[in-house]
Amino acid sequence: MSSLDPVTLAVLKGRLEQIADEMDATLFRAAFNPIIAEARDASHGLYHAQTGETLVQGKAGLPIFVGAMAFAVKAVIEKSGRQPDLADGDVYIFNDPYDGGTHLSDFKLVRPFFREGRVFCWLASVGHWHDVGGNVPGNYNPVATECFQEGMLIPPVKLFEKGKLRTDVVDIVTANSRLPNSVYGDLNGQINALDLGARRLTALLDEFGDETVSAAMAELRDRAARLMRMNIAELKDGTYSAEDHLDNDGIRDEPLTIALDLHVDGDAMTLDFSRCSKACAGPVNISRSTALAACYVALKHIFHDVPANAGVLDPIRFVIPEGSILAAKWPKPVGGYTETILRMIDTVFVALSRACPDRVNGCAYGTINALSLAGHRRDGRRWVMFSFFGGGHGGHPEGDGLNHGNAPISTATIPPVEILEAAYPVMFTRWALRPDSGGPGRHRGGLGAVYEIELLEEQADVFLFGERGRFSPPGVLGGGPGALNAFSVIRSNGVRETPPMASKWVGIKLAKGERVRLETPGGGGYGPVGDRTKASIANDIRNGYVSSEAAARVYGKTGTA
């Protein structure tokens, strides 16, 4: 290890990251599904040969997959260990969320990379497929009570065996989707991404040697662990607590608690989620692997100088009791995992705001607002529009929060309006910032957005899976909360209908010319409201971010010069 000089280490770090980045780019360019091609809901990486731990992940993929995909690779390692015929050219496919994390829409492909007859590491690809069966087109079913209502569940099985594609597996997967062509295209994009990764890694090993590259991987992991310990050691020892809530589980209209007691002890940290609600009837449960991945994302937002690999979690201990909403077991529904992990991230932000106020921001808008519209075109073809939508990010130590950003679980982008209108029979009659939605503070939270979507076909079914309809995104260090989420259907006669459970709705029939309207939350503010300068308040009013009435009500004459 000591013989690996810093320059070589830096070069290898860049080359390894470039392999994962190229795998990301290959899938983004090849995918049929806008959620991958445009929104970039996918990820690629390299994983340890024996443990499955993350070695490298692409920078354009979703950070939530860094932790989750390690569990996915471990599941394949365990499966292949029970079947000792693992061979070069094998590729496993599966979407089991209890082993591999996240939810059924995320299909994982895992491939052993062989050198001289042994597994050197694993390559893996994950992408959010457009439709994988289940009761709701697009798969975000807000009233699911078991995973079978959310889509097909495929355990780890071989998609390729010694380099030969098993077409029977492809047939099973495509037959269970409303959009088989989309699934087929995304699958082939992931296969090609793995092929490219294998070629690039072969070239790197041929150039530098297996031992040198292995040493670099080990050193990068160790450095991440050391940096994380150094960051934790700078915090004051103690316990920092935070509590937030989900609106409901889609089945019972009762709030669910996500609570964290964060303990700092020297250079180690414990995240204790013992006070969270029990596993619920509806689909806001998550598996333990997903919960750990969410904590990784939250900590990386705060300690962003630490490399993205498994070493980040070395100094972290997790307490997540069996039976918790954060440790769901099959067949509990987990389709709305995004909403729960966003709340987990918020509790980490709020808890650490008391330990390292110069690093933490106010909470972001806290929901992806998963929206599905589905119907049939005039020629009988099925169409399914699934998309997620943006909102405001929290104010931070250096300034106001980002307006209309994507959720902090990802580096994904919001699908462009032009792509959505070209692909589906809808027209966006409004796509704008939402005034007065950012939480007040020394640094204001970013603004949410207003979307109105008009149906151009004769009829469609609409499904909404959101959150933050009853509990606003919190500010930190005296900052105020962002605005609540609001959803409505605007009928042809002008009447507005709203969800009975605030943020979740099924069974909506939409007629031609009728619209759905989303008003997404803003981010929480940072710092005392009275510390916002008069110049900043005046600039907000001039830009239309804050109305004069809201400024007078919220800030009054408290703005400083």
Side-chain angles (χ1 to χ4, degrees), residues 9-94:
L9 181 63
V11 169
L12 288 173
K13 177 179 182 292
R15 289 282 296 273
L16 288 165
E17 290 175 349
Q18 180 65 19
I19 291 171
D21 287 344
E22 284 195 62
M23 293 167 72
D24 283 343
T26 297
L27 178 57
F28 298 154
R29 292 169 181 168
F32 285 21
N33 158 23
I35 297 300
I36 297 177
E38 298 293 337
R40 301 188 172 186
D41 192 343
S43 186
H44 298 83
L46 282 64
Y47 300 84
H48 193 275
Q50 283 78 45
T51 67
E53 290 181 336
T54 303
L55 299 171
V56 178
Q57 188 195 13
K59 294 185 289 293
L62 267 64
I64 190 63
F65 290 134
V66 172
M69 282 303 291
F71 287 94
V73 176
K74 288 175 187 176
V76 171
I77 291 173
E78 291 176 3
K79 179 73 175 280
S80 62
R82 295 192 299 269
Q83 299 174 347
D85 59 343
L86 186 69
D88 195 2
D90 287 355
V91 178
Y92 282 83
I93 183 172
F94 72 113

Side-chain angles (χ1 to χ4, degrees), residues 491-504:
R491 297 300 182 186
S492 55
N493 60 3
V495 172
R496 288 197 183 196
E497 300 173 6
T498 57
M501 297 183 75
S503 54
K504 301 172 185 67

Side-chain angles (χ1 to χ4, degrees), residues 10 16 23 34 39 42 49 105 129 171 310 333 338 354 371 389 404 415 436 441 528 540:
L16 288 165
M23 293 167 72
S105 298
W129 289 4
D171 291 343
T338 49
R354 293 151 193 151
L371 180 67
F389 296 90
H404 191 221
D436 297 331
D540 285 345

Side-chain angles (χ1 to χ4, degrees), residues 367-383:
T367 176
I368 71 165
N369 273 325
L371 180 67
S372 294
L373 283 79
H376 292 85
R377 299 182 186 273
R378 291 177 180 83
D379 61 5
R381 287 181 297 133
R382 188 68 179 267
W383 65 275

Side-chain angles (χ1 to χ4, degrees), residues 188-307:
N188 278 278
Q190 290 182 259
I191 292 168
N192 289 333
L194 291 177
D195 285 344
L196 180 136
R199 294 198 303 273
R200 294 289 188 267
L201 185 55
T202 297
L204 180 67
L205 294 170
D206 289 346
E207 181 178 348
F208 286 90
D210 295 17
E211 288 187 9
T212 300
V213 175
S214 292
M217 290 174 169
E219 175 61 16
L220 291 170
R221 187 198 186 287
D222 289 347
R223 287 193 176 198
R226 292 198 300 270
L227 273 172
M228 195 65 190
R229 290 190 183 280
M230 290 169 60
N231 278 314
I232 295 170
E234 292 177 359
L235 306 179
K236 184 178 179 180
D237 284 3
T239 297
Y240 306 93
S241 299
E243 184 173 304
D244 208 333
H245 299 85
L246 296 164
D247 295 340
N248 50 59
D249 69 352
I251 304 299
R252 299 187 183 96
D253 200 3
E254 300 170 355
L256 298 161
T257 300
I258 305 296
L260 168 65
D261 297 308
L262 187 152
H263 309 286
V264 176
D265 183 10
D267 64 356
M269 180 184 290
T270 298
L271 302 181
D272 186 346
F273 291 96
S274 297
R275 295 189 294 114
C276 291
S277 292
K278 301 294 185 185
C280 58
V284 293
N285 301 289
I286 61 175
S287 64
R288 179 183 170 85
S289 57
T290 304
L292 269 57
C295 294
Y296 166 87
V297 173
L299 293 169
K300 272 290 292 171
H301 272 286
I302 296 164
F303 306 114
H304 46 76
D305 57 330
V306 182

Side-chain angles (χ1 to χ4, degrees), residues 358-440:
D358 58 331
R359 288 177 176 262
V360 177
N361 46 265
C363 296
Y365 63 109
T367 176
I368 71 165
N369 273 325
L371 180 67
S372 294
L373 283 79
H376 292 85
R377 299 182 186 273
R378 291 177 180 83
D379 61 5
R381 287 181 297 133
R382 188 68 179 267
W383 65 275
V384 177
M385 171 185 153
F386 170 81
S387 191
F388 43 79
F389 296 90
H393 281 222
H396 52 87
E398 298 181 6
D400 295 341
L402 176 68
N403 295 330
H404 191 221
N406 208 348
I409 56 173
S410 74
T411 51
T413 61
I414 300 156
V417 61
E418 296 86 356
I419 296 296
L420 295 174
E421 289 185 337
Y424 311 113
V426 299
M427 178 173 64
F428 281 78
T429 58
R430 190 167 179 83
W431 181 299
L433 294 179
R434 181 187 180 188
D436 297 331
S437 59

